[in-house]
Amino acid sequence: MTGRTDTTGTAGSDTAGRDPAGTAAGEAAGTAGRETAAAIDRRRFLLVSGTLAVSAGATAAAGAATLVPPQRHGSPAAPAAAGQVAPRASRAARRPAPYAVTTLDTTARLSGGPHTGTYRRLVSGPGWPLVVREELAPAATGRADRRTPLACFVQFTDLHLTDVQNPLRTEFLRSGGASAWRAQEALTVAGAVALVEQVNALGAGPHTGLPPAFVMTTGDNVDNNSALELDWFLTLMSGGRITPDSGDPSAYEGVQSSGLPLYWHPDDTALRDLDKRRGLPAVPGLLAAARRPVTSPGLGIPWYSTVGNHDDLPGGCLSPALGDFATGSRKLMAVPDADTAAYAKALRTGDDPKSEVLAAILRRHARSARTVTPDERRRTYTPREYLTAHLDPARAGAGPVGHGYTRNSLDGDRMYYSFRIAENVIGISLDTTYRSGHYEGSLGTDQLRWLERTLAAHSSRSYDADGRLVRNARADDAHVLVFSHHHSPSMTRRPDAARSEEPRHDGAEVLALLGRFPNVVAWINGHSHVNRVTAHPHATPARSFWEVNTASHLDYPHHARLIELTDNGDGTLSLFTTLIESAAPHRTDPDFTDLSAVGLASLYRELAYNAPGLAETMPTGIHTTWAGTPKDRNVELRVTTGS
């Protein structure tokens, strides 16, 4: 594999039936409903909108040439009629350009039919065509001929690079529900490297012919607010060798070697654990392979960083005061049901910002916890340390130094900024995190006012809070794309104990502010672990904009987005979003013996598709709650530029 050193062995030599595309990530539906303590789902309750959601059931060959197909050229075609599905051949209309495989061409899909207790393998399914959405602006014919490309870039979100051996992790919540722990978590690094490889292979956007200019990560880059995980993330993005291991370098010390049937033990062929009973295979040698070094080629284009709740807080919701447990020698893997229920309630209500309930559980059961090797590299880090690590010139990679943050960001540990995307297009990256122990999001008053000033500086015409027109002759009238980790439903007005003097502002307030500025095209975010595109219309059409919410690289369906912006020359803009998968083959090794980094990346995806309760509910191989409907996947989003 080009640019990548893999010490986990070589890929299998049998390439027959292997598909050259892969996938990139998903986490949870933020509005799916409430969940009881008896049905805990970790993939959602830490990161979604203040409620526990229903369970998922309710809702390669060796060598780079086999991973990414030969570059091809799009062919001209007539544009789709308004509101219709565009044929795949309409890509890059009259602008032939090379591109790597995207979900316009093919997608990973579960084979066979849904049967309880059956592990379903992945195959290559048909691509998803482009859907034209005209809720906010009509789609005029002939626009492809008038179209001027403005920008092209990639969004990563919710990579969740995870040190699965960290003692502060709370896998024991699985006793309250099978979905509260992920079998694929030990493979996050291998999967993320395959995603970087796919981006490096993208020759150009399918609709503009522009090469991607940068990658924006919209948060939850790591899972446990761990200095070690942060090192992995920065190395992944900028290039270098990663050893996804901690503690004892000679042995795995996490829950998957505990002997507890609560967790999948891939190396133990005799133990009939919970996951083998529902069909997961034995994969001897997997845990050793998952801990071996791999070298990321690093992104070949610049990248920018947006902070998420897991980047800011241990587990995405715990108090930083629990940091001593992370570096300690006791890892709790099972607790009585009453403690599981008490901790689940504290998470659900969010009324325990100091994490006192969990701290008491960890202390009370310290003697029954497994003794593990302490590791200072697991220490939690502060916002200042997060910024300083990004600003390290050794981490610049393809640039820019700081990845959006500057030395001025250290003044008050400000994790928000604006940057130039392209000529007449700017980006705004927000910090939506609470710093006192909660997974929901918000903006503080200072940041909200800064956002308003920044928007005003790029808007010759805007509206005040009462709807009166405001003119600014000095504005450059740039198109604006806003980035954040949290999506609007997951932003609340909960007080932040770490910044108690500052009022907080919720998603509705942010939507109202963005709607005052006609130059805002879209708000692009993550956190929910689902693909969802929402129109935010206004009686004044120019004040309408889109919210683009993208799935995670940890959970089904493993997607990232390629985003392109065009001026249609008729008073409208089009924002094209195309889902992409990682470079790992869809098909895994038939007998699970391929434990190379490529094989692990493919298995990472397949395990996610076989999450508890998920595969059984996917008779067609797609779960539209997580992957989204066709209107949430590959879409042309229309907005008007008139005032």
Side-chain angles (χ1 to χ4, degrees):
M1 189 179 311
T2 303
R4 181 176 183 175
T5 301
D6 170 28
T7 62
T8 62
T10 57
S13 59
D14 181 10
T15 63
R18 291 205 172 215
D19 186 85
T23 67
E27 176 143 348
T31 55
R34 289 192 176 272
E35 179 178 54
T36 66
I40 301 160
D41 188 343
R42 186 178 184 275
R43 80 185 258 181
R44 278 159 280 177
F45 70 68
L46 295 182
L47 308 163
V48 190
S49 57
T51 64
L52 296 181
V54 295
S55 71
T59 29
T66 63
L67 290 180
V68 180
Q71 294 183 336
R72 298 178 289 176
H73 290 271
S75 56
Q84 300 299 309
V85 174
R88 189 172 72 80
S90 69
R91 71 173 70 242
R94 290 181 171 79
R95 288 190 183 85
Y99 60 93
V101 158
T102 71
T103 60
L104 290 167
D105 302 278
T106 185
T107 62
R109 180 182 290 258
L110 287 167
S111 63
H115 299 287
T116 301
T118 300
Y119 182 85
R120 296 172 66 184
R121 307 304 292 265
L122 288 188
V123 296
S124 296
W128 293 328
L130 181 74
V131 174
V132 181
R133 293 189 59 172
E134 52 180 336
E135 295 100 308
L136 303 184
T141 58
R143 64 190 182 279
D145 295 321
R146 299 186 300 269
R147 194 170 279 155
T148 300
L150 299 178
C152 177
F153 62 92
V154 175
Q155 178 201 11
F156 287 179
T157 195
D158 297 81
L159 292 171
H160 287 275
L161 299 183
T162 306
D163 171 16
V164 294
Q165 300 174 88
N166 189 312
L168 189 51
R169 304 192 77 235
T170 55
E171 297 99 335
F172 58 77
L173 281 167
R174 199 184 204 203
S175 64
S179 295
W181 176 77
R182 304 176 179 95
Q184 72 269 22
E185 287 178 331
L187 306 179
T188 55
V189 170
V193 169
L195 180 59
V196 167
E197 291 171 335
Q198 181 70 355
V199 171
N200 286 345
L202 292 172
H207 304 291
T208 63
L210 295 177
F214 66 92
V215 170
M216 167 60 82
T217 73
T218 51
D220 281 5
N221 307 307
V222 306
D223 196 61
N224 300 303
N225 180 238
S226 159
L228 180 60
E229 293 172 342
L230 180 58
D231 177 73
W232 296 349
F233 166 68
L234 294 172
T235 304
L236 167 80
M237 302 293 279
S238 295
R241 185 180 177 88
I242 304 170
T243 302
D245 189 20
S246 66
D248 185 348
S250 65
Y252 169 85
E253 298 179 302
V255 297
Q256 290 180 268
S257 64
S258 64
L260 296 172
L262 189 60
Y263 309 106
W264 180 47
H265 288 60
D267 288 1
D268 191 335
T269 58
L271 179 64
R272 294 296 297 167
D273 57 57
L274 172 64
D275 295 292
K276 292 199 191 77
R277 291 198 300 272
R278 64 181 187 85
L280 265 64
V283 187
L286 177 64
L287 296 179
R291 295 164 39 244
R292 291 173 185 156
V294 61
T295 296
S296 170
L299 288 166
I301 55 178
W303 61 274
Y304 294 85
S305 189
T306 295
V307 66
N309 53 297
H310 278 252
D311 303 311
D312 236 10
L313 298 168
C317 64
L318 302 176
S319 169
L322 298 183
D324 287 346
F325 290 101
T327 58
S329 62
R330 308 294 287 176
K331 182 170 176 59
L332 194 57
M333 301 185 181
V335 299
D337 290 346
D339 285 330
T340 298
Y343 179 43
K345 180 180 179 181
L347 291 171
R348 185 171 61 249
T349 62
D351 293 334
D352 186 24
K354 296 183 179 180
S355 300
E356 293 173 333
V357 172
L358 177 59
I361 292 172
L362 294 173
R363 293 189 181 100
R364 185 161 56 248
H365 300 291
R367 289 189 176 182
S368 63
R370 180 179 183 176
T371 299
V372 298
T373 305
D375 195 332
E376 181 60 27
R377 297 176 302 163
R378 294 172 177 148
R379 67 186 182 279
T380 59
Y381 54 80
T382 66
R384 175 166 291 258
E385 290 170 328
Y386 181 82
L387 292 169
T388 301
H390 279 74
L391 289 163
D392 183 351
R395 304 291 195 167
V401 173
H403 306 290
Y405 304 117
T406 68
R407 290 291 167 186
N408 291 335
S409 302
L410 297 174
D411 181 12
D413 298 338
R414 286 178 289 110
M415 292 178 156
Y416 51 90
Y417 58 90
S418 63
F419 67 107
R420 182 181 182 274
I421 288 178
E423 184 178 357
N424 207 41
V425 184
I426 70 152
I428 297 175
S429 172
L430 302 177
D431 171 11
T432 55
T433 63
Y434 285 100
R435 293 186 181 174
S436 59
H438 204 270
Y439 54 85
E440 292 172 338
S442 66
L443 290 186
T445 297
D446 285 349
Q447 186 178 179
L448 192 72
R449 289 172 179 166
W450 170 86
L451 175 59
E452 182 175 11
R453 293 193 303 270
T454 304
L455 293 170
H458 297 284
S459 304
S460 63
R461 295 168 63 91
S462 62
Y463 297 83
D464 66 16
D466 295 320
R468 293 185 292 263
L469 181 64
V470 177
R471 296 183 182 274
N472 178 8
R474 296 174 296 177
D476 60 12
D477 264 341
H479 306 302
V480 178
L481 299 175
V482 178
F483 302 91
S484 72
H485 176 64
H486 292 87
H487 64 334
S488 59
S490 61
M491 295 180 66
T492 66
R493 244 181 271 185
R494 179 184 302 275
D496 187 352
R499 297 175 279 199
S500 58
E501 74 289 347
E502 185 179 32
R504 309 301 293 178
H505 303 273
D506 61 17
E509 292 176 272
V510 176
L511 290 172
L513 176 60
L514 298 180
R516 290 168 44 195
F517 295 88
N519 287 14
V520 173
V521 177
W523 180 8
I524 300 165
N525 47 44
H527 185 70
S528 69
H529 290 217
V530 303
N531 291 316
R532 184 163 296 137
V533 178
T534 304
H536 291 294
H538 194 277
T540 302
R543 297 177 63 179
S544 303
F545 62 94
W546 294 93
E547 185 170 358
V548 179
N549 192 213
T550 302
S552 162
H553 192 57
L554 176 62
D555 293 306
Y556 169 87
H558 278 236
H559 288 151
R561 282 194 200 263
L562 176 63
I563 299 176
E564 301 168 85
L565 181 65
T566 68
D567 186 331
N568 298 314
D570 59 2
T572 67
L573 302 175
S574 289
L575 189 75
F576 293 92
T577 82
T578 304
L579 295 170
I580 60 173
E581 302 176 318
S582 83
H586 288 160
R587 292 180 183 270
T588 55
D589 206 51
D591 56 3
F592 300 103
T593 57
D594 180 3
L595 298 182
S596 69
V598 176
L600 294 179
S602 293
L603 184 58
Y604 176 54
R605 180 195 299 122
E606 188 168 272
L607 290 169
Y609 275 61
N610 281 276
L614 185 63
E616 296 94 318
T617 64
M618 296 167 64
T620 63
I622 301 172
H623 197 298
T624 55
T625 299
W626 311 121
T629 69
K631 294 173 67 175
D632 302 302
R633 300 177 203 158
N634 299 332
V635 289
E636 178 186 356
L637 308 174
R638 312 265 301 146
V639 293
T640 180
T641 59
S643 55

